[in-house]
Every structure is written in C-alpha cells, then in structure tokens.
Amino acid sequence: MKTFFNVEDLGDLKVALSEAQEVKANRYAYQELGENKTLLMIFFNNSLRTRLSTQKAATNLGMNVIVLDVNAGAWKLETERGVIMDGDKSEHLLEAIPVMASYCDIIAVRSFAGLTDREQDYSEAIVNQFVKHSGKPVVAMETATVHPLQAFADLITISEHPIKGKRRPKVVLTWAPHCRALPQAVPNSFAQWMNVADVDFVITHPKGYELDPKFAGNAVVEYDQKKALEGADFVYAKNWSCPGVANRADYGKIISDDRSWTIDAEHMSWTNDAYFMHCLPVRRGLIVTDDVIESNRSLVIPEAANREISAEVVLKRVLESL
Ligand code: CP
C-alpha cells in the first residue's frame, strides 16, 4: 500500500478486519518489519488520539518515529505556488516536502480543511503535494476531506460488537450541534467506509448539511432524526459544517444550531438499545449529554483505543510494500 486515504486503499474489508484482530492479539509480532525504518508524522493541526496512537503503532512495529508540529518550532510554510514570499512564511512546502522526505521512509500528514475555499479543500491541495513531491508513501492522519484511520478504527469497533440476531446492524450517522465550524473529514470517511461495510447505513442531519455525494454514496438520508434513530444499533454522533453541496456559498458555515439534535437519553430510547459512538474530542452538552457518553452503551473509549490497531494495520501494510 503506497497511500492511505480511502477505503479502497485497504482492499477487502473482511481481510483487513481479520488482520486487525490478529495485530490486536499480538501487537509486537511484526517488530522486525519496521527495523531501521522511520515514520515522519507531520501535524499542521492539533491532535491527541492520532498523535499518540499512530506513534504507538509505529513503535509496536519497531519503527523510529519523528514528530513535527509545523506550527510549533518549524518555519512557517507557504503552500501556494506563484506567491511573493514577503510575509511571515519563511519556507515553501515544495522545498520542505523533499527535505522532510529525505529523513524518513513513510510520511503521515494531518492537515485540516480551511473551510473557506471548497474547491481547494476538496482537491486535497496540501496532502496531494506530499504525494507528488515526497516520493514516499503518504498516510492520512486527517486531511481536508478524509480521516481514514478513524473510520477504520470505527469499523473495527463496530465489528467487535455484534448485534444478537442481526447479520447487518443498523448504523446511523447523526449530525449534532456545535459552537465552532468543523470539517467534514470524519463524517465523509465514516460514510465512505459504512457504505462498503456489511451494515445498513443511514445518515441524518438538518437540511443543507448533505455530505458530498462521493462520500454519502448510496446511504439512506433521513431528515427526521427520530425516524432515523428508530431501531438503530449504533449511533455515531458528529458535528460537521455545511459541505456546500446544495449551496456553495454556505461551504464551511454553521447553518443550524438546533439543540434538539443533541444526543440525550430520549434520543437513545428511540434506538434498539444502541451503542453510542463518537471519534472524540467531544463537547459534552452540545453533541451528547453526560449520561449518554458515560453509559455502559458508550463505545468512545474502545473506539479511541482501536486507533492504535487501525494505524498498526495500515503502517504494517505500507512497510510490507516498501
Ligand atoms: N479522533 C481524532 O482524530 O482525535 P485527535 O484529533 O485528538 O487526533
């Protein structure tokens, strides 16, 4: 595997899930694979889970790890071509990428959406420069539009919680309110992965929050949140800003602050005693109430723990392809 951005990069999901369980049972079994190999993790944005889990996964595989926080100690990077660099940006990404690549075997990048220019975000302008100019495998640690390590961990978590008497569980991705405009990367990837997984998948959100069709795929979209949640086995709550599908001018904006979408005990009572999921970090009282996230149906901690496993499977696959 040379890049990891989309669900198809992983191939057959059943095989990947079985590999995840194998790795989970013995996470140090492949120490020799990463010997004398270096992972460079580049963060343009903050992280807790992605940073720790990916670093842990790499060390499980015997790799050396370098972490660079671009906004904390590195030269400020210019990302546009053709600009006169007379501002505060001292180095261009086009030099920085091959330089960084010369110190490592695999590059992992986190670079969020700017949420002002839809075309720029959805063309993945920054991470595609890493793919083009590094000459090294590139793993997405959340880009402008996708967060595949999260979606893979989510799928692993769902597969570990079979629903009695159901071959295909009902999984509902529900929008929930938030005080800041957030990217669409997590719901995009979750939708992309659930569309391939062996589940019945429903997305619910207020009108105007339609995900880009390339991610929403064939998912059922139900604008009535109560109807969507009825009979759900897994409730995946997440906020996202307007994807600008129906109205490009609204891209990246908060177009609803409807607090009736916050997941509380009443919402969960409409479900089939569903498990609650969220990628974290989560704002309590906006996305979900304390009692729901603290309940015995909440999977947020095992979900986060599985980030180590998803990262290890992905890095293992990349190492095997070097
Ligand atoms: N879920 C997730 O990616 O968490 P971090 O932003 O803390 O890495």
Side-chain angles (χ1 to χ4, degrees):
M1 186 162 60
K2 291 295 183 195
T3 57
F4 182 63
F5 291 96
N6 295 301
V7 66
E8 56 266 25
D9 295 328
L10 210 52
D12 187 325
L13 284 186
K14 281 200 175 75
V15 174
L17 285 171
S18 144
E19 199 171 327
Q21 291 311 320
E22 186 204 324
V23 161
K24 196 165 184 172
N26 189 357
R27 50 194 88 190
Y28 306 107
Y30 298 94
Q31 285 261 317
E32 281 175 22
L33 204 54
E35 198 181 357
N36 297 329
K37 296 283 188 288
T38 299
L39 171 69
L40 173 58
M41 297 166 59
I42 302 166
F43 288 92
F44 288 85
N45 306 93
N46 296 341
S47 168
L48 187 153
R49 278 143 292 274
T50 305
R51 173 188 297 255
L52 297 179
S53 61
T54 310
Q55 183 160 2
K56 175 68 165 58
T59 50
N60 290 351
L61 291 163
M63 299 187 80
N64 304 311
V65 181
I66 306 171
V67 182
L68 179 70
D69 284 300
V70 171
N71 298 319
W75 300 113
K76 266 199 162 182
L77 293 175
E78 176 58 64
T79 57
E80 300 290 321
R81 235 182 126 257
V83 294
I84 296 169
M85 290 172 56
D86 57 358
D88 63 342
K89 293 174 177 168
S90 309
E91 179 152 24
H92 202 287
L93 203 56
L94 290 175
E95 284 80 56
I97 290 173
V99 169
M100 293 189 282
S102 72
Y103 306 136
C104 67
D105 302 280
I106 303 172
I107 298 181
V109 186
R110 165 163 285 202
S111 176
F112 288 173
L115 296 180
T116 52
D117 181 339
R118 189 182 198 281
E119 306 315 320
Q120 165 135 346
D121 288 344
Y122 273 73
S123 71
E124 291 287 8
I126 299 218
V127 289
N128 278 335
Q129 291 196 60
F130 279 89
V131 174
K132 192 169 170 195
H133 301 293
S134 71
K136 297 286 161 68
V138 178
V139 172
M141 295 196 296
E142 185 168 343
T143 72
T145 66
V146 292
H147 196 357
L149 288 170
Q150 180 65 52
F152 185 21
D154 296 334
L155 179 62
I156 294 169
T157 310
I158 289 170
S159 74
E160 289 173 340
H161 293 84
I163 306 299
K164 226 175 164 183
K166 265 197 192 173
R167 196 183 64 75
R168 287 171 69 87
K170 179 178 177 182
V171 177
V172 179
L173 167 64
T174 177
W175 178 93
H178 202 277
C179 52
R180 292 182 51 222
L182 298 186
Q184 296 112 43
V186 169
N188 281 347
S189 281
F190 188 73
Q192 187 188 55
W193 286 63
M194 288 304 117
N195 276 321
V196 179
D198 215 4
V199 303
D200 290 331
F201 183 48
V202 177
I203 307 175
T204 185
H205 52 72
K207 285 206 167 135
Y209 279 97
E210 292 77 14
L211 296 176
D212 189 291
K214 96 173 167 187
F215 296 109
N218 295 324
V220 172
V221 177
E222 170 57 68
Y223 294 106
D224 182 329
Q225 190 192 29
K226 185 166 191 265
K227 266 194 202 159
L229 290 175
E230 278 166 5
D233 300 302
F234 295 87
V235 173
Y236 195 101
K238 184 72 184 85
N239 173 267
W240 61 91
S241 60
C242 176
V245 171
N247 184 359
R248 287 287 196 265
D250 281 342
Y251 175 68
K253 294 188 176 147
I254 296 173
I255 56 171
S256 171
D257 180 33
D258 187 345
R259 300 289 169 98
S260 73
W261 284 72
T262 300
I263 302 297
D264 61 11
E266 189 190 356
H267 288 72
M268 295 304 283
S269 76
W270 302 331
T271 71
N272 181 33
D273 195 20
Y275 289 107
F276 174 80
M277 298 180 74
H278 188 280
C279 61
L280 304 182
V282 70
R283 297 218 184 202
R284 291 180 177 213
L286 288 176
I287 303 285
V288 60
T289 52
D290 292 310
D291 53 339
V292 170
I293 197 169
E294 291 170 6
S295 78
N296 63 6
R297 304 303 281 174
S298 172
L299 294 179
V300 296
I301 305 303
E303 192 182 347
N306 275 333
R307 290 292 306 276
E308 176 185 345
I309 307 306
S310 65
E312 186 163 343
V313 171
V314 168
L315 291 174
K316 174 177 168 287
R317 294 268 187 104
V318 178
L319 286 167
E320 285 166 344
S321 74
L322 289 179

PDB file of all heavy atoms in Angstrom, residues 46-51 110 142 147 150 279-281 307, ligand 1:
ATOM      1  N   ASN A  46      -3.755  20.401  15.624  1.00  0.00           N
ATOM      2  CA  ASN A  46      -3.643  19.723  16.923  1.00  0.00           C
ATOM      3  C   ASN A  46      -4.143  18.275  16.864  1.00  0.00           C
ATOM      4  O   ASN A  46      -4.942  17.929  15.990  1.00  0.00           O
ATOM      5  CB  ASN A  46      -4.471  20.460  17.981  1.00  0.00           C
ATOM      6  CG  ASN A  46      -3.945  21.855  18.223  1.00  0.00           C
ATOM      7  OD1 ASN A  46      -2.803  22.155  17.894  1.00  0.00           O
ATOM      8  ND2 ASN A  46      -4.781  22.704  18.793  1.00  0.00           N
ATOM      9  N   SER A  47      -3.710  17.497  17.844  1.00  0.00           N
ATOM     10  CA  SER A  47      -4.164  16.110  17.929  1.00  0.00           C
ATOM     11  C   SER A  47      -3.832  15.547  19.300  1.00  0.00           C
ATOM     12  O   SER A  47      -2.817  15.908  19.900  1.00  0.00           O
ATOM     13  CB  SER A  47      -3.480  15.267  16.858  1.00  0.00           C
ATOM     14  OG  SER A  47      -3.693  13.891  17.106  1.00  0.00           O
ATOM     15  N   LEU A  48      -4.647  14.654  19.766  1.00  0.00           N
ATOM     16  CA  LEU A  48      -4.318  13.841  20.946  1.00  0.00           C
ATOM     17  C   LEU A  48      -4.253  12.372  20.510  1.00  0.00           C
ATOM     18  O   LEU A  48      -3.210  11.743  20.498  1.00  0.00           O
ATOM     19  CB  LEU A  48      -5.373  14.032  22.049  1.00  0.00           C
ATOM     20  CG  LEU A  48      -5.070  13.363  23.400  1.00  0.00           C
ATOM     21  CD1 LEU A  48      -5.745  14.118  24.536  1.00  0.00           C
ATOM     22  CD2 LEU A  48      -5.531  11.911  23.439  1.00  0.00           C
ATOM     23  N   ARG A  49      -5.419  11.831  20.062  1.00  0.00           N
ATOM     24  CA  ARG A  49      -5.504  10.417  19.708  1.00  0.00           C
ATOM     25  C   ARG A  49      -4.611  10.031  18.531  1.00  0.00           C
ATOM     26  O   ARG A  49      -3.895   9.039  18.563  1.00  0.00           O
ATOM     27  CB  ARG A  49      -6.954  10.031  19.353  1.00  0.00           C
ATOM     28  CG  ARG A  49      -7.832   9.752  20.528  1.00  0.00           C
ATOM     29  CD  ARG A  49      -9.224  10.248  20.277  1.00  0.00           C
ATOM     30  NE  ARG A  49      -9.198  11.695  20.232  1.00  0.00           N
ATOM     31  CZ  ARG A  49      -9.299  12.467  21.328  1.00  0.00           C
ATOM     32  NH1 ARG A  49      -9.493  11.927  22.478  1.00  0.00           N
ATOM     33  NH2 ARG A  49      -9.193  13.793  21.259  1.00  0.00           N
ATOM     34  N   THR A  50      -4.666  10.820  17.459  1.00  0.00           N
ATOM     35  CA  THR A  50      -3.948  10.448  16.242  1.00  0.00           C
ATOM     36  C   THR A  50      -2.447  10.436  16.498  1.00  0.00           C
ATOM     37  O   THR A  50      -1.731   9.530  16.076  1.00  0.00           O
ATOM     38  CB  THR A  50      -4.310  11.433  15.121  1.00  0.00           C
ATOM     39  OG1 THR A  50      -5.729  11.441  14.978  1.00  0.00           O
ATOM     40  CG2 THR A  50      -3.658  11.050  13.812  1.00  0.00           C
ATOM     41  N   ARG A  51      -2.000  11.445  17.212  1.00  0.00           N
ATOM     42  CA  ARG A  51      -0.568  11.534  17.523  1.00  0.00           C
ATOM     43  C   ARG A  51      -0.115  10.336  18.353  1.00  0.00           C
ATOM     44  O   ARG A  51       0.833   9.636  18.005  1.00  0.00           O
ATOM     45  CB  ARG A  51      -0.313  12.817  18.303  1.00  0.00           C
ATOM     46  CG  ARG A  51       1.095  12.959  18.847  1.00  0.00           C
ATOM     47  CD  ARG A  51       1.164  14.161  19.753  1.00  0.00           C
ATOM     48  NE  ARG A  51       0.889  15.361  18.999  1.00  0.00           N
ATOM     49  CZ  ARG A  51       1.797  16.248  18.628  1.00  0.00           C
ATOM     50  NH1 ARG A  51       3.054  16.060  18.953  1.00  0.00           N
ATOM     51  NH2 ARG A  51       1.481  17.303  17.941  1.00  0.00           N
ATOM     52  N   ARG A 110      -1.222  15.348   8.911  1.00  0.00           N
ATOM     53  CA  ARG A 110      -2.524  15.898   9.345  1.00  0.00           C
ATOM     54  C   ARG A 110      -2.609  17.339   8.865  1.00  0.00           C
ATOM     55  O   ARG A 110      -1.778  18.175   9.202  1.00  0.00           O
ATOM     56  CB  ARG A 110      -2.670  15.850  10.860  1.00  0.00           C
ATOM     57  CG  ARG A 110      -3.818  16.728  11.339  1.00  0.00           C
ATOM     58  CD  ARG A 110      -4.272  16.432  12.745  1.00  0.00           C
ATOM     59  NE  ARG A 110      -5.054  15.215  12.798  1.00  0.00           N
ATOM     60  CZ  ARG A 110      -5.923  14.920  13.772  1.00  0.00           C
ATOM     61  NH1 ARG A 110      -6.120  15.750  14.770  1.00  0.00           N
ATOM     62  NH2 ARG A 110      -6.598  13.790  13.748  1.00  0.00           N
ATOM     63  N   GLU A 142      -5.782  12.618   8.945  1.00  0.00           N
ATOM     64  CA  GLU A 142      -6.929  13.518   8.752  1.00  0.00           C
ATOM     65  C   GLU A 142      -6.477  14.644   7.829  1.00  0.00           C
ATOM     66  O   GLU A 142      -5.612  15.448   8.139  1.00  0.00           O
ATOM     67  CB  GLU A 142      -7.539  14.113  10.027  1.00  0.00           C
ATOM     68  CG  GLU A 142      -8.801  14.920   9.665  1.00  0.00           C
ATOM     69  CD  GLU A 142      -9.689  15.351  10.839  1.00  0.00           C
ATOM     70  OE1 GLU A 142      -9.560  14.805  11.951  1.00  0.00           O
ATOM     71  OE2 GLU A 142     -10.518  16.239  10.611  1.00  0.00           O
ATOM     72  N   HIS A 147     -10.670  11.142   7.011  1.00  0.00           N
ATOM     73  CA  HIS A 147      -9.968  10.698   8.229  1.00  0.00           C
ATOM     74  C   HIS A 147     -10.043   9.170   8.276  1.00  0.00           C
ATOM     75  O   HIS A 147     -10.764   8.584   9.092  1.00  0.00           O
ATOM     76  CB  HIS A 147     -10.621  11.330   9.457  1.00  0.00           C
ATOM     77  CG  HIS A 147      -9.776  11.265  10.694  1.00  0.00           C
ATOM     78  ND1 HIS A 147      -8.541  10.640  10.749  1.00  0.00           N
ATOM     79  CD2 HIS A 147      -9.988  11.747  11.958  1.00  0.00           C
ATOM     80  CE1 HIS A 147      -8.043  10.743  11.961  1.00  0.00           C
ATOM     81  NE2 HIS A 147      -8.893  11.409  12.709  1.00  0.00           N
ATOM     82  N   GLN A 150      -9.430   6.960  11.447  1.00  0.00           N
ATOM     83  CA  GLN A 150     -10.569   6.992  12.370  1.00  0.00           C
ATOM     84  C   GLN A 150     -11.671   6.049  11.885  1.00  0.00           C
ATOM     85  O   GLN A 150     -12.214   5.257  12.656  1.00  0.00           O
ATOM     86  CB  GLN A 150     -11.103   8.425  12.478  1.00  0.00           C
ATOM     87  CG  GLN A 150     -12.277   8.565  13.410  1.00  0.00           C
ATOM     88  CD  GLN A 150     -11.919   8.258  14.863  1.00  0.00           C
ATOM     89  OE1 GLN A 150     -10.966   8.815  15.396  1.00  0.00           O
ATOM     90  NE2 GLN A 150     -12.647   7.357  15.499  1.00  0.00           N
ATOM     91  N   CYS A 279     -15.909  10.099  17.569  1.00  0.00           N
ATOM     92  CA  CYS A 279     -14.460   9.974  17.345  1.00  0.00           C
ATOM     93  C   CYS A 279     -13.626  10.637  18.435  1.00  0.00           C
ATOM     94  O   CYS A 279     -12.458  10.324  18.595  1.00  0.00           O
ATOM     95  CB  CYS A 279     -14.100  10.552  15.984  1.00  0.00           C
ATOM     96  SG  CYS A 279     -14.496  12.317  15.856  1.00  0.00           S
ATOM     97  N   LEU A 280     -14.220  11.586  19.186  1.00  0.00           N
ATOM     98  CA  LEU A 280     -13.511  12.407  20.178  1.00  0.00           C
ATOM     99  C   LEU A 280     -12.465  13.285  19.471  1.00  0.00           C
ATOM    100  O   LEU A 280     -11.914  12.852  18.469  1.00  0.00           O
ATOM    101  CB  LEU A 280     -12.835  11.559  21.257  1.00  0.00           C
ATOM    102  CG  LEU A 280     -13.738  10.597  22.046  1.00  0.00           C
ATOM    103  CD1 LEU A 280     -12.903   9.872  23.110  1.00  0.00           C
ATOM    104  CD2 LEU A 280     -14.898  11.320  22.718  1.00  0.00           C
ATOM    105  N   PRO A 281     -12.177  14.488  19.965  1.00  0.00           N
ATOM    106  CA  PRO A 281     -12.724  15.067  21.182  1.00  0.00           C
ATOM    107  C   PRO A 281     -14.180  15.469  20.982  1.00  0.00           C
ATOM    108  O   PRO A 281     -14.587  15.807  19.870  1.00  0.00           O
ATOM    109  CB  PRO A 281     -11.846  16.306  21.404  1.00  0.00           C
ATOM    110  CG  PRO A 281     -11.399  16.712  20.040  1.00  0.00           C
ATOM    111  CD  PRO A 281     -11.237  15.432  19.272  1.00  0.00           C
ATOM    112  N   ARG A 307      -7.740   3.035  17.601  1.00  0.00           N
ATOM    113  CA  ARG A 307      -6.925   3.847  16.694  1.00  0.00           C
ATOM    114  C   ARG A 307      -5.502   3.284  16.600  1.00  0.00           C
ATOM    115  O   ARG A 307      -4.874   3.369  15.550  1.00  0.00           O
ATOM    116  CB  ARG A 307      -6.903   5.309  17.167  1.00  0.00           C
ATOM    117  CG  ARG A 307      -8.235   6.057  17.015  1.00  0.00           C
ATOM    118  CD  ARG A 307      -8.569   6.266  15.542  1.00  0.00           C
ATOM    119  NE  ARG A 307      -7.472   6.910  14.860  1.00  0.00           N
ATOM    120  CZ  ARG A 307      -7.260   8.233  14.836  1.00  0.00           C
ATOM    121  NH1 ARG A 307      -8.120   9.044  15.436  1.00  0.00           N
ATOM    122  NH2 ARG A 307      -6.217   8.741  14.183  1.00  0.00           N
TER     123      ARG A 307
HETATM  124  N1   CP B   1     -10.294  11.438  16.679  1.00  0.00           N
HETATM  125  C1   CP B   1      -9.151  12.109  16.489  1.00  0.00           C
HETATM  126  O1   CP B   1      -8.605  12.168  15.383  1.00  0.00           O
HETATM  127  O2   CP B   1      -8.638  12.692  17.609  1.00  0.00           O
HETATM  128  P1   CP B   1      -7.447  13.743  17.616  1.00  0.00           P
HETATM  129  O3   CP B   1      -7.921  14.954  16.862  1.00  0.00           O
HETATM  130  O4   CP B   1      -7.194  14.028  19.074  1.00  0.00           O
HETATM  131  O5   CP B   1      -6.252  13.137  16.948  1.00  0.00           O
END
